[in-house]
């Protein structure tokens, strides 16, 4: 339906899909509509009988491709949500109300999540594995067994720690700006100390979420959590916010660095790539990619196994 609606809009002359022309990027209205329509065919092949005639690898690859492209297109939805909470509105880079673009990004985020789930479920079914646990076993089961709490592999731990350190240049520059050093903040702005304290608290919460994905206490509530200590952490509790945040930050930070280095994005007075703007992009990209890696590891480590009846 989304693809068909976009075709109708493109035929009527709509050329502002995702607000890309507003920031100097090519219009992707027709390509976006084509990808969504192709995705509908892939989704139908995953559930309809005629889809058995299509090679399973082609269906799985198509579903993952649509999911990846949709999540890429929704990469600014988190910033829109933050803006909506803080200001009660969503605006474009020119300051105009931009609810249509916000709705497009929300729809693409939902499309990406649904296609990722479709690809995973289809791959398991075609491989003869259980759709719930992803393993091969007899059909008679008696519930699920969850793994014991344990830390992520060393490589994932190092990635998570690197993601934590990615905030250091950004926080250092804001601290220097709050201390009165000139040339750091755009327009000579000097952030008040309470704003810096709020930033520190926000970063601390972000690091808490990231470390919870790689440490044992992210699987079982630790002793310092009243009424919950020793209980298993529901998998959706960290993963839902993570998969909302990670694609946005990773793609936004990486894209901002690339576009700023290429001269596409105009300098906002924050020193460009080597200044506050570059430090912010580095923090978003580093944290976002580390969050994505840690979340995949968390999903695999916490994945339950079916208890097979004897």
């Amino acid at each position: 339906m989304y693809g068909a609606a976009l075709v109708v809009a493109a035929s009527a002359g709509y050329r502002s899909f995702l607000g890309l022309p507003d920031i100097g990027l090519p219009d992707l209205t027709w390509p976006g509509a084509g990808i969504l329509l192709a995705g509908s065919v892939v989704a139908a092949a995953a559930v309809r009988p005629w889809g058995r005639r299509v090679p399973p690898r082609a269906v799985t690859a198509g579903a993952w491709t649509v999911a990846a492209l949709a999540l890429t297109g929704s990469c600014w939805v988190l910033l829109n949500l933050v803006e909506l909470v803080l200001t009660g509105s969503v605006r474009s880079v020119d300051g105009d109300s931009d609810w249509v673009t916000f709705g497009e990004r929300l729809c693409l985020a939902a499309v990406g999540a649904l296609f990722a789930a479709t690809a995973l479920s289809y791959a398991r079914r075609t491989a003869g594995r259980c759709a719930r646990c992803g393993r091969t076993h007899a059909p008679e089961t008696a519930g699920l067994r969850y793994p014991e709490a344990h830390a992520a592999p060393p490589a994932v731990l190092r990635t998570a720690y690197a993601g934590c350190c990615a905030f250091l240049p950004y926080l250092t520059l804001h601290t220097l700006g709050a201390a009165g050093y000139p040339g750091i903040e755009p327009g000579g702005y000097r952030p008040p100390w309470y704003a810096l304290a709020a930033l520190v608290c926000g970063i601390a919460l972000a690091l808490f979420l990231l470390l919870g994905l790689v440490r044992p206490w992210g699987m079982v509530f630790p002793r310092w959590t009243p009424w919950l200590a020793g209980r298993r952490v529901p998998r959706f509790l960290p993963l839902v916010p993570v998969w909302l945040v990670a694609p946005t930050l990773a793609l936004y930070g990486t894209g901002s660095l690339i576009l700023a280095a290429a001269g596409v994005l105009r300098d906002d007075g924050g020193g460009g790539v080597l200044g506050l703007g570059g430090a912010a992009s580095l923090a978003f990209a580093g944290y976002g990619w580390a969050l994505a890696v840690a979340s995949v590891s968390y999903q695999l480590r916490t994945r339950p196994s079916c208890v097979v009846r004897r």
Side-chain angles (χ1 to χ4, degrees), residues 97-236:
S97 181
D98 204 12
W99 290 99
V100 173
T101 300
F102 176 51
E104 290 172 345
R105 292 168 180 167
L106 278 178
C107 289
L108 286 181
V111 168
L114 291 173
F115 268 90
T118 299
L120 185 60
S121 174
Y122 180 80
R124 288 177 175 178
R125 287 189 289 109
T126 54
R129 294 180 290 165
C130 175
R132 290 195 302 176
C133 69
R135 297 175 175 88
T136 303
H137 56 72
E140 295 81 11
T141 61
L144 296 173
R145 179 188 297 113
Y146 289 87
E148 296 293 331
H150 59 285
V156 179
L157 285 172
R158 289 193 292 269
T159 302
Y161 298 151
C164 295
C165 294
F167 279 108
L168 288 177
Y170 181 63
L171 184 58
T172 299
L173 288 176
H174 268 306
T175 303
L176 293 175
Y181 284 84
I184 295 178
E185 299 284 349
Y189 174 72
R190 182 176 179 179
W193 287 106
Y194 66 82
L196 183 63
L199 176 64
V200 171
C201 292
I203 293 177
L205 289 175
L207 300 186
F208 176 81
L209 177 61
L210 176 56
L211 294 177
L213 294 172
V214 298
R215 301 305 305 174
W217 52 265
M219 298 176 66
V220 175
F221 287 106
R223 290 178 296 178
W224 43 265
T225 52
W227 306 291
L228 296 174
R231 296 186 179 183
R232 180 180 59 84
V233 177
R235 298 179 77 212
F236 74 88

Side-chain angles (χ1 to χ4, degrees), residues 194-291:
Y194 66 82
L196 183 63
L199 176 64
V200 171
C201 292
I203 293 177
L205 289 175
L207 300 186
F208 176 81
L209 177 61
L210 176 56
L211 294 177
L213 294 172
V214 298
R215 301 305 305 174
W217 52 265
M219 298 176 66
V220 175
F221 287 106
R223 290 178 296 178
W224 43 265
T225 52
W227 306 291
L228 296 174
R231 296 186 179 183
R232 180 180 59 84
V233 177
R235 298 179 77 212
F236 74 88
L237 192 60
L239 289 177
V240 169
V242 159
W243 284 120
L244 176 64
V245 170
T248 295
L249 294 184
L251 297 172
Y252 174 76
T254 304
S256 296
L257 283 175
I258 294 174
L259 294 176
V264 175
L265 295 181
R266 55 181 180 271
D267 185 9
D268 60 356
V273 177
L274 300 180
L276 185 60
S281 297
L282 176 64
F284 294 157
Y287 178 78
W289 288 116
L291 200 63

